[in-house]
Amino acid sequence: MSDIEQISDKMAELQKLRVAVVGLLCQENCKLLSKRQRVAGKEIEVMCAERDLTGSADQTAAQAALDQLYLEQSVAQQALTDTEHETEKLEALLARIATDISALCQS
């Protein structure tokens, strides 16, 4: 196989990989947006529960509800952080693929 054929085959492999990574990145971005919305919703719920705590007749129940919301908010925030890290990994992979493609074009 000649050098040109090898470069062409490698380029085709990299292009296929790039398309697959872009697809995965799109999926991760959709998850990311959904999780951001979930975190924002939990933040609103927490603010409402904090407000309700000050005016509640049953402070114990209101505090328990607030504590539960803090826990749910923490879990949602951790899920968001995990998805952000996955997105960053995919973006870094995509950048490496682009660099490899550029290097092949130069050769």
Side-chain angles (χ1 to χ4, degrees):
M1 187 180 281
S2 71
D3 286 344
I4 293 175
E5 289 174 336
Q6 288 177 341
I7 291 172
S8 180
D9 290 346
K10 182 68 173 171
M11 181 68 77
E13 289 175 28
L14 286 171
Q15 294 291 1
K16 287 178 188 177
L17 184 58
R18 180 165 59 175
V19 168
V21 171
V22 166
L24 288 173
L25 190 55
C26 288
Q27 291 174 355
E28 285 300 311
N29 280 329
C30 288
K31 290 178 190 177
L32 187 63
L33 291 173
S34 176
K35 289 178 182 180
R36 282 183 179 158
Q37 289 175 327
R38 193 170 297 125
V39 167
K42 285 297 172 190
E43 288 172 349
I44 292 169
E45 288 181 54
V46 166
M47 287 188 291
C48 291
E50 289 171 340
R51 179 201 62 211
D52 294 346
L53 179 63
T54 60
S56 177
D58 186 0
Q59 291 286 311
T60 305
Q63 184 63 53
L66 180 58
D67 291 342
Q68 178 63 33
L69 285 172
Y70 282 144
L71 178 63
E72 292 172 9
Q73 181 185 20
S74 176
V75 169
Q77 183 62 49
Q78 184 58 49
L80 173 61
T81 301
D82 293 345
T83 302
E84 287 172 338
H85 288 264
E86 288 301 314
T87 302
E88 289 168 4
K89 288 178 187 176
L90 287 172
E91 288 172 346
L93 177 59
L94 194 57
R96 281 185 296 215
I97 293 168
T99 301
D100 290 348
I101 289 172
S102 179
L104 275 178
C105 289
Q106 298 298 321
S107 61

